[in-house]
């Protein structure tokens, strides 16, 4: 099969699926190895970028998804209902950061780091689809483990967790001091 036909097949699959598809599944469809499939997907992405079209190809860890270019958002809003906006308070963002950097993590571990209950924040993050249950810890009570989702990657514009900024030792220490000060203030109330 020629490269143009393989790219057309990949395009059709991604368009029809409407969600991300793992590289292994895409490779199986066109009966190629992952390296060749990835090259074809990059060519397809370059094709989209060279046109002034409204579609692009997004890579999410080892998956690919066809999606609308960000600069088309305002036009989509005119035709579709306004998408639901997340209200990410400081508490929710703090909880999400802990989960993103420490995953998989239990509620108890999050609460130990934050020093306060995290039930509301975790429930909201699950509701927003930014985190999900990823398993259970092999410990008494078998507590739930939480991790980030593809929606998290999509929402924050990163391909994988490796693209998250590195935290320096100074930032970690400042975070601990700030958390302790907030816990002390809450105890005074």
């Amino acid at each position: 099969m020629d490269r143009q036909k393989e790219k057309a097949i990949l395009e059709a699959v991604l368009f029809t699926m409407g969600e991300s598809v793992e590289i292994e599944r895409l490779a199986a469809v066109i009966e190629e190895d992952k390296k060749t499939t990835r090259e074809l997907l990059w060519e397809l992405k370059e094709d989209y970028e060279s046109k002034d079209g409204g579609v692009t190809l997004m890579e999410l860890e080892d998956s690919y998804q066809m999606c609308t270019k960000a600069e088309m958002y305002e036009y989509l809003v005119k035709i579709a209902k306004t998408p639901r906006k997340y209200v990410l308070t400081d508490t929710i963002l703090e909880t999400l950061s802990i989960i993103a950097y420490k995953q998989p993590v239990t509620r108890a571990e999050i609460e130990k780091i934050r020093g306060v209950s995290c039930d509301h924040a975790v429930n909201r993050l699950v509701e927003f689809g930014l985190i999900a249950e990823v398993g259970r810890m092999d410990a008494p009570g078998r507590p739930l483990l939480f991790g980030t989702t593809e929606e998290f990657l999509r929402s924050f514009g990163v391909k994988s967790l490796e693209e998250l900024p590195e935290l320096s030792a100074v930032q970690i220490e400042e975070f601990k001091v700030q958390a302790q000060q907030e816990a002390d203030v809450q105890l005074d109330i």
Side-chain angles (χ1 to χ4, degrees):
M1 186 174 341
D2 73 345
R3 287 181 81 78
Q4 198 56 42
K5 173 82 172 175
E6 290 175 326
K7 285 186 347 189
I9 292 168
L10 291 171
E11 182 178 45
V13 168
L14 291 170
F15 175 79
T16 304
M17 294 301 288
E19 57 188 32
S20 65
V21 181
E22 298 83 13
I23 188 81
E24 293 86 10
R25 292 177 62 199
L26 293 169
V29 167
I30 60 171
E31 299 173 350
E32 289 283 0
D33 59 52
K34 287 182 359 182
K35 181 179 184 277
T36 303
T37 304
R38 190 170 270 118
E39 289 170 4
L40 289 165
L41 289 163
W42 277 104
E43 285 178 24
L44 191 58
K45 182 177 176 69
E46 287 174 4
D47 291 347
Y48 288 137
E49 298 303 321
S50 68
K51 299 179 210 169
D52 270 343
V55 177
T56 189
L57 203 58
M58 179 181 266
E59 183 180 359
L60 301 162
E61 292 195 334
D62 268 350
S63 299
Y64 289 83
Q65 181 175 359
M66 185 179 284
C67 59
T68 308
K69 288 182 180 176
E71 57 266 22
M72 298 297 145
Y73 178 79
E74 67 181 277
Y75 304 105
L76 293 174
V77 170
K78 290 179 181 179
I79 193 93
K81 292 182 179 177
T82 304
R84 186 169 151 201
K85 295 202 181 219
Y86 305 132
V87 177
L88 298 179
T89 63
D90 289 345
T91 301
I92 293 174
L93 274 174
E94 209 173 270
T95 304
L96 181 58
S97 298
I98 292 167
I99 294 168
Y101 282 98
K102 304 282 272 173
Q103 65 185 302
V105 63
T106 65
R107 284 182 199 252
E109 290 170 318
I110 298 167
E111 289 172 355
K112 184 177 179 187
I113 293 168
R114 289 200 62 242
V116 294
S117 174
C118 67
D119 287 342
H120 173 73
V122 169
N123 291 339
R124 294 297 287 176
L125 290 167
V126 168
E127 182 182 318
F128 293 153
L130 297 174
I131 67 167
E133 297 172 3
V134 294
R136 290 191 174 269
M137 182 180 265
D138 191 18
R142 304 215 3 100
L144 289 171
L145 292 167
F146 293 95
T148 55
T149 62
E150 275 190 0
E151 183 60 30
F152 166 81
L153 298 175
R154 209 175 283 112
S155 296
F156 287 89
V158 293
K159 291 180 190 174
S160 70
L161 295 173
E162 284 77 43
E163 286 189 11
L164 292 177
E166 295 264 339
L167 292 177
S168 69
V170 173
Q171 289 172 311
I172 293 170
E173 194 56 40
E174 286 173 358
F175 179 73
K176 285 179 181 177
V177 168
Q178 180 185 3
Q180 184 59 48
Q181 288 171 344
E182 289 174 8
D184 292 343
V185 168
Q186 289 177 355
L187 291 174
D188 292 340
I189 296 174

